[in-house]
Amino acid sequence: MRHCVTQRIEDYALIGDLQTAALVGRDGSVDWLCLPRFDSAACFAALIGDRENGHWRIAPRGAGVCTRRSYIGDSLVLESVWETADGTVKVIDFMPQRDEAPDLTRIVEGVSGSVEMEAVLRIRFDYGSVVPWMRRSGGQRVAVAGPDSVWLRSEPKVKTWGQDFSTVSSFRVGPGERVAFTLTWHPSHRSRPTLVDPYEALECSLRDWSAWATRCSTQGPYRDAVVRSLITLKALTFKPTGGIVAAPTTSLPESLGGVRNWDYRYCWLRDSTLTLDALLDAGYRDEAAAWRDWLLRAVAGDPADLQIMYGLGGERRLPETVLPWLSGYADSTPVRTGNAAVNQLQLDVYGEVMDSFHLAREAGIPAERHAWFLQLSLLGFLETRWREPDEGLWEVRGPRRHFVHSKVMAWVAADRAVRTLESDPALRGDVDRWRAMRDAVHEEVCAKGYDPRRNTFTQYYGSDELDAATLLIPRTGFLPPDDPRVVGTVDAVRDGLGTPEGLVRRYTTEGGTVDVDGLPGVEGAFLACSFWLADALRMTGRVREAKELFERLLDLRNDVGLLAEEYDPVARCQLGNFPQAFSHIALVTTALALGREERAG
């Protein structure tokens, strides 16, 4: 079945201000923007609906997609160029880091000839469902509905009129001529927002991003890819709290036309260790400390109430809701906001939290004394629950099971407590108690989660199914990389979950012996897991194969270096929410590891 899409997921580029983000298509249309935060309702929702659900396009009249585009240097400032029969023009898109209200700035600049431009702004608040009242005020256009207002101005002023519940502008630019549009969100009950100088904001944005990128400590053949991924991770950071969203979008499908559509505009504990590791490894200590502090605030409280994800500020209530008026990307419904997985039991997160705090401590990030008592409380709870089944890392919506990865991370939790107490005997804690727990978990996993006939760890106890999460076993330290069981697991996952292109799926979603996740349909190859495979190949001594796979994965990035959650090797397109922090974290981690391998000779 064919599903109509006007633009592929990889046709979009990201801009943002460290509190929210927009997606700009190759055709010059901003099709996704939530204001004022990542998790606010979208005012441009064409990405998961159609143009009537809100968008803002600026392009030469009658033109299609741009000729070429790129970020300017090491920044999040996007430059799109159209070469037309009448001349060449470029549009520069960015969101300056805000002092007060969020701004989206679009600067049109003539390069050659004389090009007629057209701008169509269609504001639709509340995910495309609310048409605002438009009026003029002091030379600006103002859209108001309920609590939201959006102000539009141009410098210099251009001809603008209302048409079909949209705001349309038409103008010409010649060589060196510039027209700047600024869209500003403001609470509707407050007076007009403070004006920003768009050209000064552009210079500040370029300078700030360049200065931030120079802090990257890594060198080597993959530095450009690492820096672009780190900039993407920085763009997904909610600056007021230090939390990092998994992605700035909701409901981009894991298979075209399918139902595996989730809201990723929240902060997952599962990402914590890998994020900290990547940031610290690349020299971004301040960002790592901010993420650690967010983590500490989010998980504070009764350990029985620990959630797998939280809101940008640590909010706990993220109710899942369906938006029936949206047709979905490529007819993929339902479109969801919120995420019901927040209520799942995922025992692995206790290990990830313990590992994160341990990693921060080893890096010398100062910790408040109460942080250790919180960790002991979390570990005490896990001690009583680790033998139970759970929903596991992949948030399955089928029955709870004894997932091997969850048990391995329970081992990690106990192991990191032992290491911490051994390195600092002055800390309160019963090291023998945690050693005993660590040994018990290890013994059970090796006895019940390992299939000696096939020489591989399985997805869950007693299962024939495989799980790409078992590729992380050597990275956690549960077993050394040269253990035959590790090597066998790497081979089994590559052969059993692999695609002809060498990528891997998370687990079997079609044709398996058991319906593990409780959902219909299939999904693409999971990009983070494919990076994990490259890393596991490196750790088990197959460096050449690891490098070849890693470079194939780099080729899957779009033209501005971005990755979604998954890749469809048949349709040759990216799938899932975009851009995906998990994919870019895995890219950075594997790139830095391969760089160290190369330097070691």
Side-chain angles (χ1 to χ4, degrees):
M1 180 177 180
R2 293 177 62 85
H3 297 277
C4 180
V5 295
T6 56
Q7 296 200 76
R8 301 173 303 168
I9 290 172
E10 57 264 43
D11 287 333
Y12 288 97
L14 177 78
I15 58 174
D17 66 356
L18 307 188
Q19 296 192 47
T20 190
L23 293 187
V24 187
R26 291 180 62 89
D27 65 350
S29 181
V30 180
D31 287 347
W32 181 254
L33 175 61
C34 299
L35 291 172
R37 306 189 344 166
F38 289 108
D39 57 353
S40 299
C43 63
F44 299 145
L47 178 70
I48 51 175
D50 58 35
R51 291 292 168 88
E52 290 302 317
N53 298 123
H55 76 111
W56 184 18
R57 185 171 190 241
I58 300 179
R61 180 180 293 277
V65 299
C66 63
T67 307
R68 61 184 181 276
R69 64 178 181 172
S70 64
Y71 289 112
I72 300 176
D74 290 332
S75 79
L76 206 66
V77 178
L78 180 70
E79 182 178 88
S80 304
V81 178
W82 280 263
E83 295 175 349
T84 75
D86 296 325
T88 300
V89 65
K90 61 184 176 182
V91 178
I92 299 170
D93 292 318
F94 66 101
M95 296 185 72
Q97 292 188 31
R98 68 180 80 166
D99 293 323
E100 182 184 357
D103 298 292
L104 169 54
T105 298
R106 315 193 71 182
I107 299 175
V108 182
E109 183 174 336
V111 177
S112 66
S114 178
V115 182
E116 184 178 4
M117 301 294 294
E118 183 179 61
V120 178
L121 172 66
R122 186 173 281 113
I123 293 286
R124 298 291 185 267
F125 294 121
D126 194 22
Y127 299 103
S129 67
V130 176
V131 180
W133 179 262
M134 296 291 296
R135 61 182 173 85
R136 293 182 183 271
S137 176
Q140 300 184 61
R141 289 264 180 172
V142 187
V144 178
D148 300 298
S149 71
V150 165
W151 299 64
L152 173 69
R153 73 181 190 278
S154 66
E155 299 179 23
K157 290 183 173 59
V158 298
K159 182 181 178 181
T160 302
W161 66 96
Q163 179 178 310
D164 297 330
F165 297 99
S166 301
T167 300
V168 180
S169 303
S170 180
F171 55 98
R172 280 189 173 273
V173 289
E177 294 179 343
R178 297 193 294 182
V179 177
F181 293 87
T182 300
L183 190 75
T184 304
W185 179 90
H186 209 55
S188 61
H189 65 277
R190 296 176 59 184
S191 59
R192 71 179 58 200
T194 303
L195 301 182
V196 298
D197 183 315
Y199 303 109
E200 181 180 332
L202 173 61
E203 294 304 315
C204 287
S205 291
L206 290 171
R207 183 171 61 250
D208 290 347
W209 278 110
S210 178
W212 189 85
T214 59
R215 291 170 48 201
C216 179
S217 60
T218 187
Q219 299 296 328
Y222 305 124
R223 188 179 191 279
D224 289 347
V226 168
V227 169
R228 178 49 55 193
S229 287
L230 288 169
I231 288 173
T232 304
L233 292 174
K234 179 69 170 177
L236 299 181
T237 300
F238 187 63
K239 185 178 180 180
T241 65
I244 300 174
V245 297
T249 57
T250 180
S251 299
L252 290 180
E254 296 173 8
S255 63
L256 297 180
V259 300
R260 298 166 181 263
N261 317 317
W262 317 111
D263 193 346
Y264 275 17
R265 297 171 299 158
Y266 307 112
C267 307
W268 265 258
L269 299 189
R270 74 177 184 211
D271 302 358
S272 57
T273 304
L274 298 175
T275 303
L276 269 170
D277 196 19
L279 291 172
L280 288 169
D281 228 2
Y284 288 96
R285 182 185 173 91
D286 291 345
E287 286 74 12
W291 174 238
R292 192 282 314 270
D293 290 344
W294 175 91
L295 184 66
L296 182 59
R297 294 191 300 272
V299 304
D302 188 336
D305 297 330
L306 186 70
Q307 298 182 177
I308 65 165
M309 71 180 87
Y310 295 86
L312 304 174
E315 298 89 349
R316 290 174 174 265
R317 295 187 183 275
L318 311 175
E320 186 170 294
T321 304
V322 171
L323 308 183
W325 62 86
L326 290 170
S327 58
Y329 178 87
D331 304 319
S332 306
T333 55
V335 171
R336 296 178 172 97
T337 62
N339 200 311
V342 71
N343 298 314
Q344 289 188 350
L345 175 65
Q346 295 180 25
L347 294 172
D348 63 291
V349 299
Y350 291 86
E352 284 143 6
V353 169
M354 290 292 294
D355 200 15
S356 296
F357 286 130
H358 178 72
L359 185 64
R361 179 185 291 273
E362 283 197 324
I365 297 177
E368 297 182 29
R369 184 168 181 81
H370 76 271
W372 176 243
F373 294 108
L374 172 61
Q375 292 172 71
L376 289 178
S377 178
L378 292 172
L379 191 56
F381 175 81
L382 182 62
E383 183 185 30
T384 67
R385 300 289 297 274
W386 71 265
R387 297 181 188 275
E388 296 180 14
D390 70 343
E391 276 92 1
L393 170 71
W394 303 127
E395 299 167 10
V396 300
R397 300 204 174 190
R400 290 182 177 179
R401 303 182 188 279
H402 292 281
F403 288 102
V404 169
H405 176 75
S406 296
K407 308 300 185 184
V408 168
M409 294 309 297
W411 176 90
V412 168
D415 178 73
R416 301 320 186 246
V418 170
R419 292 193 197 183
T420 299
L421 288 168
E422 288 176 343
S423 65
D424 188 355
L427 286 174
R428 175 183 171 184
D430 186 345
V431 67
D432 291 333
R433 175 183 174 185
W434 307 129
R435 283 198 192 103
M437 175 183 166
R438 181 179 65 176
D439 293 345
V441 177
H442 198 280
E443 180 180 358
E444 180 176 294
V445 171
C446 291
K448 297 182 179 181
Y450 172 71
D451 182 350
R453 179 177 58 85
R454 293 185 297 159
N455 188 29
T456 183
F457 285 95
T458 59
Q459 186 176 37
Y460 54 90
Y461 291 175
S463 169
D464 290 328
E465 303 295 330
L466 299 171
D467 190 331
T470 56
L471 293 170
L472 296 173
I473 285 175
R475 185 186 292 185
T476 64
F478 183 86
L479 287 174
D482 59 356
D483 189 290
R485 292 168 291 184
V486 169
V487 176
T489 299
V490 174
D491 290 340
V493 168
R494 180 171 59 173
D495 295 341
L497 297 178
T499 72
E501 296 75 16
L503 312 180
V504 293
R505 294 163 291 147
R506 293 186 293 178
Y507 51 86
T508 302
T509 55
E510 185 177 47
T513 58
V514 177
D515 180 14
V516 174
D517 62 18
L519 294 166
V522 297
E523 62 181 30
F526 204 79
L527 292 172
C529 295
S530 301
F531 283 111
W532 295 350
L533 175 59
D535 210 38
L537 289 170
R538 176 194 62 81
M539 294 183 75
T540 53
R542 291 167 279 188
V543 178
R544 180 182 59 80
E545 294 175 60
K547 185 175 180 180
E548 289 174 353
L549 174 55
F550 178 74
E551 292 178 354
R552 285 200 299 275
L553 288 165
L554 289 186
D555 289 340
L556 299 182
R557 296 175 300 159
N558 73 355
D559 57 320
V560 290
L562 302 180
L563 288 169
E565 182 179 31
E566 300 181 8
Y567 183 77
D568 184 336
V570 177
R572 297 187 180 278
C573 64
Q574 295 195 32
L575 295 171
N577 285 303
F578 173 87
Q580 173 78 314
F582 216 32
S583 299
H584 285 280
I585 292 165
L587 185 157
V588 171
T589 301
T590 304
L592 296 180
L594 286 172
R596 287 192 295 270
E597 195 82 38
E598 188 173 283
R599 288 192 298 274

